[in-house]
Amino acid sequence: MKTIKTIEDMQLKQDELHKEQKSIGFVPTMGYLHDGHLALIKEARKENDIVVVSIFVNPLQFNQASDLEQYPRDFERDEKLLIEEGVDFVFYPSKEAMYPNPLSIDLSLNQRGDVLCGATRPGHFEGVLMVLTKLFNIVNPNRVYFGLKDAQQVAVVDSLINDFNFNIELVPVPTIRESDGLAMSSRNVNLSTYERQEAYKIYQALLKGQKLIKASNWTRQRVLDEVESFLKHTLSGEIDYVDCLTYPELTREITEKHDIIIAVAVKYQNARLIDNIILTPSGDVKYRSES
Ligand code: AMP
């Protein structure tokens, strides 16, 4: 595996690879890799000649300085994992390389951005849109891999690709969980022992919502009440949001034709956790991981 640190080198390399008719699968990450990231990489490995992973903790998408500071980092450990997965290139730029000058253009969302993390983390998706637009132009991939743990991000990337005509296929990958059901996240290391022990209940709450939808005769409000009341009674963390929306449009008017997302965010002392479940109109799980 080769580590590439400059934008120029990455652009030269992808240009060379495209001239050789090689397909490029790209997995953007913020590092501190876990099995969730590795699932994306494995998928990319199956479907492309070349796999590029980026590791960049994007300051623009953090709306709290403390969250950015506390974000775990360990490039040497990540490098070893990437080598084991047979990754060809890791793009590891500095903040100065990515943002050398104040930006003269802003990107913002007209749709899919005013709910969930878009509502509770002002500026977050604007930062995501900016870094991904830059990374897509730098890496010029044929396919990009994103995890459904960040389902709103997948919906936003879908809009970005369509609105800006990126010639890129978006591949969503199901959420990878710990054995007790907690969604894997780089932020989980910032949980206290007590918080970690109870955090699996976030997924249990989502399953309670699913049960209601499967039993039919449900309403959006009943799902919200059920999930929120379970979380309130079983978690010490603060509920940031609970919502139930159409997916991927992320609107509140759910008909029998819509796929449905139930999504939650919980704030702990040093980590904010998000999780979701995406269901077919009849309440079955829409995306399942193979493992
Ligand atoms: P991050 O490093 O947190 O920005 O995540 C990089 C990519 O990995 C994003 O597309 C995430 O959605 C994805 N990802 C993170 N955690 C998981 C997980 N538990 N299962 C599947 N994908 C994940």
Side-chain angles (χ1 to χ4, degrees), residues 24-241:
I24 301 179
F26 177 40
V27 183
T29 82
M30 298 202 297
Y32 213 75
L33 304 176
H34 52 67
D35 284 354
H37 298 111
L38 301 188
L40 271 58
I41 293 167
K42 284 185 203 320
E43 205 56 37
R45 189 66 287 170
K46 269 194 255 167
E47 298 173 349
N48 301 279
D49 300 317
I50 299 293
V51 176
V52 179
V53 174
S54 64
I55 296 186
F56 180 60
V57 181
N58 175 33
L60 254 53
Q61 71 189 68
F62 286 79
N63 56 323
Q64 283 192 326
S66 57
D67 188 23
L68 177 60
E69 255 164 53
Q70 283 161 2
Y71 203 85
R73 295 160 170 90
D74 188 343
F75 184 67
E76 277 179 27
R77 172 181 166 278
D78 288 346
E79 247 183 336
K80 283 188 198 124
L81 289 169
L82 295 177
I83 291 168
E84 279 170 30
E85 292 302 325
V87 168
D88 301 283
F89 299 97
V90 58
F91 180 51
Y92 182 51
S94 66
K95 196 173 79 189
E96 292 69 29
M98 288 296 279
Y99 301 114
N101 303 307
L103 291 160
S104 42
I105 292 179
D106 275 338
L107 295 173
S108 61
L109 281 161
N110 293 325
Q111 289 168 19
R112 303 184 176 185
D114 56 348
V115 290
L116 310 179
C117 294
T120 56
R121 298 183 71 192
H124 169 68
F125 282 114
E126 288 75 4
V128 169
L129 285 172
M130 182 58 73
V131 78
L132 290 179
T133 302
K134 288 164 82 71
L135 288 171
F136 289 176
N137 282 320
I138 295 164
V139 177
N140 193 15
N142 301 83
R143 296 185 190 85
V144 283
Y145 296 78
F146 283 87
L148 285 159
K149 198 208 119 217
D150 301 280
Q152 187 174 17
Q153 176 166 267
V154 172
V156 166
V157 174
D158 176 54
S159 297
L160 176 69
I161 289 177
N162 284 316
D163 281 10
F164 289 173
N165 305 99
F166 281 108
N167 190 9
I168 299 176
E169 182 190 341
L170 169 61
V171 185
V173 179
T175 302
I176 304 296
R177 301 180 179 281
E178 302 285 357
S179 54
D180 65 357
L182 175 66
M184 289 193 182
S185 165
S186 306
R187 289 186 167 89
N188 290 351
V189 292
N190 291 338
L191 295 173
S192 71
T193 311
Y194 179 78
E195 290 169 345
R196 172 62 191 89
Q197 274 167 7
E198 65 164 37
Y200 75 94
K201 289 178 185 157
I202 297 173
Y203 184 50
Q204 301 274 308
L206 295 171
L207 293 175
K208 286 202 174 283
Q210 180 195 11
K211 204 166 158 199
L212 205 62
I213 291 175
K214 270 209 84 102
S216 71
N217 257 342
W218 61 279
T219 64
R220 178 172 172 268
Q221 194 54 50
R222 275 184 64 205
V223 172
L224 297 181
D225 292 346
E226 173 91 5
V227 174
E228 191 161 349
S229 118
F230 179 80
L231 288 171
K232 259 194 193 137
H233 289 104
T234 55
L235 289 192
S236 63
E238 179 196 337
I239 302 172
D240 198 21
Y241 64 70

